Amino acid sequence: MKSRVIRGRIWMLRDADGKRIDNVDTDMIFHNRYLYITDIKEMGKYAFSNLPGWEDFPKKAKPGDILVVGINFGAGSSRQQAVDCFISLGISAIIGESFGAIYKRNVINSGLPLLEAPGIFESDLETGDVVEVHLDTGEIFRGGKLVFKAKPMSKVALDIYD
């Protein structure tokens, strides 16, 4: 069984003014001009290529990093590449205020941990913080101290992850 505790550096999805970016659709995550790419190993370098200010994310991201995203992340189409590009980069989990329904299901079905965390952008978490995420409880720790409590993953989602 995989570990249900994930440790990694976080990326808070904010704009140049530090504001949370909401309503990021699947075309912003993985633009349709790259849909011809079928090798998942190649998809990572195009993650966020259509999201202003985040085009260089694939060059900065490291395996094990964790994305923290805003409201309605993954809205739009059901394109699987919008999940696979993060798997390609080695993103270990996605934590978000809320998700588009189809995107959420695609992430879960791909075995990538997803936690819903309404209010997480009001916490004092910042890009670059190293956190420990407990998938069973939704607890997020930084430096051994509890900093946020997300909704724990459901039993079904945990079973798929395992």
Side-chain angles (χ1 to χ4, degrees), residues 81-122:
Q81 295 92 332
V83 175
D84 292 344
C85 66
F86 296 131
I87 292 170
S88 175
L89 289 173
I91 298 301
S92 62
I94 302 176
I95 302 168
E97 296 269 351
S98 66
F99 296 89
I102 296 170
Y103 187 80
K104 177 182 174 182
R105 196 70 240 168
N106 285 349
V107 172
I108 291 168
N109 287 345
S110 296
L112 182 58
L114 176 145
L115 291 171
E116 291 179 278
I120 195 162
F121 277 83
E122 281 74 57

Side-chain angles (χ1 to χ4, degrees), residues 16 63 67 81 90 97 117 123 126 134 139 145:
L67 274 176
Q81 295 92 332
E97 296 269 351
S123 73
E126 294 292 336
H134 294 245
E139 294 171 321
K145 294 184 180 174

Side-chain angles (χ1 to χ4, degrees), residues 3-151:
S3 175
R4 290 190 176 181
V5 176
I6 294 173
R7 183 175 162 78
R9 173 181 63 157
I10 60 171
W11 291 90
M12 303 289 289
L13 200 65
R14 297 183 191 273
D15 66 16
D17 296 324
K19 293 181 183 165
R20 177 185 74 210
I21 302 173
D22 292 333
N23 300 308
V24 173
D25 66 31
T26 54
D27 204 47
M28 294 168 162
I29 298 169
F30 194 88
H31 196 272
N32 65 14
R33 71 178 164 262
Y34 303 116
L35 292 180
Y36 68 91
I37 298 167
T38 57
D39 183 353
I40 193 169
K41 292 181 218 115
E42 297 297 314
M43 291 179 187
K45 60 186 163 192
Y46 302 105
F48 289 143
S49 65
N50 199 32
L51 183 61
W54 283 81
E55 299 91 346
D56 62 348
F57 175 72
K59 292 179 181 151
K60 296 177 179 178
K62 304 281 185 245
D65 286 354
I66 298 167
L67 274 176
V68 181
V69 299
I71 294 169
N72 198 30
F73 186 79
S77 76
S78 61
R79 81 177 54 148
Q80 182 63 35
Q81 295 92 332
V83 175
D84 292 344
C85 66
F86 296 131
I87 292 170
S88 175
L89 289 173
I91 298 301
S92 62
I94 302 176
I95 302 168
E97 296 269 351
S98 66
F99 296 89
I102 296 170
Y103 187 80
K104 177 182 174 182
R105 196 70 240 168
N106 285 349
V107 172
I108 291 168
N109 287 345
S110 296
L112 182 58
L114 176 145
L115 291 171
E116 291 179 278
I120 195 162
F121 277 83
E122 281 74 57
S123 73
D124 67 351
L125 290 169
E126 294 292 336
T127 292
D129 287 350
V130 175
V131 298
E132 191 173 272
V133 180
H134 294 245
L135 304 178
D136 296 77
T137 64
E139 294 171 321
I140 302 170
F141 295 86
R142 179 185 56 209
K145 294 184 180 174
L146 180 66
V147 291
F148 197 83
K149 178 112 168 55
K151 296 177 184 176

